[in-house]
Amino acid sequence: MNTSYTLAELLTVNLARSFKDREVGFTGLVTGGAAALYGTAIPLAAMSLAKEMHAPGLTILLAGWSHNPDLSALDQLPDSEFDSLLRDLPCEAHMMSYPGTWAIRRGDIDFGFSSAVQVDRVGNINSVCIGEYEHPKVRLVGPILQPEHMALFGREYVMLPHHHQRNFVDQVDFISGVGHPGGAAGRAELGLRGGGPEWVVTPKCILDFDRTKGAIRYKSVHNASDRKNPDMFFLDLDPSAVDITPPPTTEELDVLRRKVDPKKVLLR
Amino acid sequence: MNNNNSKSKVGTLAEAAALIADGSRLAIGGFAIYQHPMALLRELVKQGKRELTVVGTVNGNDVDLLAGAGCLKEVETSYVGLERFGLAPNFRRAVEAGELKVVDYPEVLSFDRFRASQEAMTFWPCDYLGGTDVLAKNPAIKAFQCPITQRTLYAVPPADPDVVVLHAIAADEDGNVLFPKRHLLPQGLDLNMGRGCDVVIVTVEKIVSKGYVKRHAAQNLLPGYKITMIVEAPFGAHPCPVLGRYDTDIAHFEAYATAGKSVETFKAYLDEYVYDLPDHQAYLEKVGAHRLLNLFETDSL
């Protein structure tokens, strides 16, 4: 087992293993440092790695519209959704209008990635405001595509660039994307046919959900020492007996470094 | 009108802004920080428009400028932010102060609201809002039972703007608007907006001849009968990019975001770039020919 790998490589490999052949994965264009790494770069690297390893028929939707972009043509991570850089990046299809290539309500998109300022104990996410909706302490950008990500996609990976207790709350201040309130039965009662958050990925751990109760829980921690880290105990979360996030294999690291990201554009 | 041809739809920025009354529901073309009709929005600021409602899809410095100048009462959209330049500072301050109301829509439904207007429908149906605060906080969205399947569906109100303002590359004096062959979602959404409203104002980089339009008829996606007024405004989206013509003015956006940090510094920005300048030509001279020419990008129609 190779023990020399970065946190970003560990997350990339674990995400990649969870994608299946012929799936369609959707990633937005998140900007700025760690947010861009977790929201865009790691998802792109993971989908590319899956295509090389076991899922050659997977379709990558970059910024939602560039189908299977040629990432090897990039010298930098794009930071604009709709300007000339991304327009001129070679790809298999452009979505030029709405409605366009994908039929989002028919379930064309198997999985997506989102970020959030708050996640609560049933996996609801919030990107709208902190504090009371009508008089917020902090007004954020708005729901964007989160309602669709969390209701219409087959599953969702919520990517948090920091593992702060303040990002995990009892109840989010605004539900812009629905988690698993009341578990699978609760989602069905809300008229949601499937989907919802699969994992919440942070620099410390991967969380998933008890689908009967709908409760968030630790799935794995990246470092054994975090099983006893007092900062990891909040809400009802208890890391003391969870697995260690499975490390990359030598082959995965080799493909990732040599084929997927040889110029270190994605995982710097 | 500055043109003697009785058929001409060509007007000035001041004439276009005069078509937008205080209290109007205004839809602004472009997306996030891309291709907004900024020259016309600066004219709205200059004329001191008040109590506007912006009905949008994904907004950015368009809404932020109007919010910072006190022109807005309400915004109905899925996003207001400056993407890589951070949160929209004036929008954020106005909402946190309780001076600006936001009605939050999911992104796809914000697009569908303009499809509803285009189809003259009184609502657009959807089935996926259960459990969200988008639904819980918006009394204009009504639950109903599907008459075919008996499932619970939600009726989302149409966008129904009073006026649509867009920015495009080229149009002729009859109002035929050309779109680049390789366009992206923002230009596609401009079409949804432009096709669903009776008053549509389009600012363009260049007014071209009727012969030029006929040579590009396949790219005339908003024919003249849809258009109320055409205004020539070169670099009319600055500091936003126009796909196929020029890129984002990064330095200007950075200065804008910094200026937005306080009411005082933003007032100084407005003085410098709006109130103290007589017109769009003076704005372009202030930004500077060298700066503008450095923004050119080279895709073609």
Side-chain angles (χ1 to χ4, degrees), chain A residues 87 105 133 139 148 193, chain B residues 83 104 112 127-128 297:
Chain A
R87 178 198 62 202
R105 293 171 171 83
Y133 180 60
R139 171 67 203 196
E148 288 88 354
R193 280 170 287 179
Chain B
E83 288 203 343
D104 288 286
D112 288 331
D127 68 354
Y128 63 91
E297 60 114 332

Side-chain angles (χ1 to χ4, degrees), chain A residues 231-243:
Chain A
D231 292 343
M232 302 286 286
F233 291 81
F234 48 80
L235 300 180
D236 296 325
L237 293 168
D238 180 349
S240 52
V242 302
D243 292 339

Side-chain angles (χ1 to χ4, degrees), chain B residues 38-285:
Chain B
M38 296 307 297
L40 181 50
L41 299 187
R42 284 187 286 268
E43 182 63 28
L44 296 182
V45 169
K46 204 174 192 38
Q47 292 193 8
K49 299 292 178 185
R50 288 291 177 268
E51 298 283 302
L52 299 176
T53 291
V54 170
V55 52
T57 57
V58 175
N59 295 90
N61 59 312
D62 55 339
V63 159
D64 193 71
L65 177 82
L66 295 176
C71 303
L72 299 183
K73 178 182 70 177
E74 193 170 317
V75 180
E76 306 174 7
T77 190
S78 76
Y79 173 97
V80 183
L82 302 183
E83 288 203 343
R84 64 178 136 153
F85 305 105
L87 293 173
N90 295 297
F91 164 79
R92 182 183 162 185
R93 186 162 46 241
V95 176
E96 289 168 9
E99 293 160 2
L100 176 57
K101 186 183 172 199
V102 190
V103 185
D104 288 286
Y105 282 92
E107 188 171 342
V108 160
L109 287 177
S110 76
F111 303 164
D112 288 331
R113 299 182 72 209
F114 286 95
R115 292 169 80 193
S117 293
Q118 192 180 336
E119 304 297 335
M121 293 295 293
T122 52
F123 68 89
W124 195 267
C126 83
D127 68 354
Y128 63 91
L129 292 178
T132 65
D133 279 330
V134 166
L135 176 66
K137 301 287 188 187
N138 187 343
I141 300 175
K142 312 281 189 195
F144 70 104
Q145 198 176 42
C146 169
I148 309 291
T149 65
Q150 323 312 320
R151 286 186 68 204
T152 298
L153 299 180
Y154 302 96
V156 177
D160 286 357
D162 298 320
V163 184
V164 167
V165 295
L166 309 175
H167 186 74
I169 290 179
D172 67 14
E173 64 178 35
D174 293 340
N176 293 298
V177 186
L178 299 180
F179 284 72
K181 226 176 254 164
R182 283 206 313 158
H183 61 261
L184 297 175
L185 188 60
Q187 292 73 31
L189 292 170
D190 280 359
L191 292 173
N192 295 9
M193 274 187 185
R195 288 169 176 167
C197 187
D198 295 336
V199 181
V200 180
I201 299 165
V202 185
T203 61
V204 292
E205 290 297 310
K206 182 76 185 163
I207 292 179
V208 295
S209 69
K210 296 179 188 185
Y212 188 88
V213 166
K214 285 175 183 165
R215 290 204 305 280
H216 297 86
Q219 288 157 257
N220 176 8
L221 303 182
L222 276 181
Y225 63 86
K226 305 287 288 184
I227 303 301
T228 310
M229 188 179 284
I230 293 289
V231 180
E232 188 171 76
F235 283 97
H238 183 273
C240 304
V242 168
L243 196 74
R245 280 298 178 272
Y246 48 89
D247 282 323
T248 308
D249 188 337
I250 292 169
H252 193 102
F253 259 105
E254 284 169 347
Y256 178 95
T258 304
K261 283 183 179 159
S262 78
V263 172
E264 294 71 30
T265 50
F266 195 69
K267 170 71 169 57
Y269 174 91
L270 287 177
D271 284 342
E272 187 176 359
Y273 287 102
V274 183
Y275 297 127
D276 291 349
L277 300 174
D279 54 23
H280 180 57
Q281 190 178 324
Y283 174 88
L284 294 182
E285 279 168 12

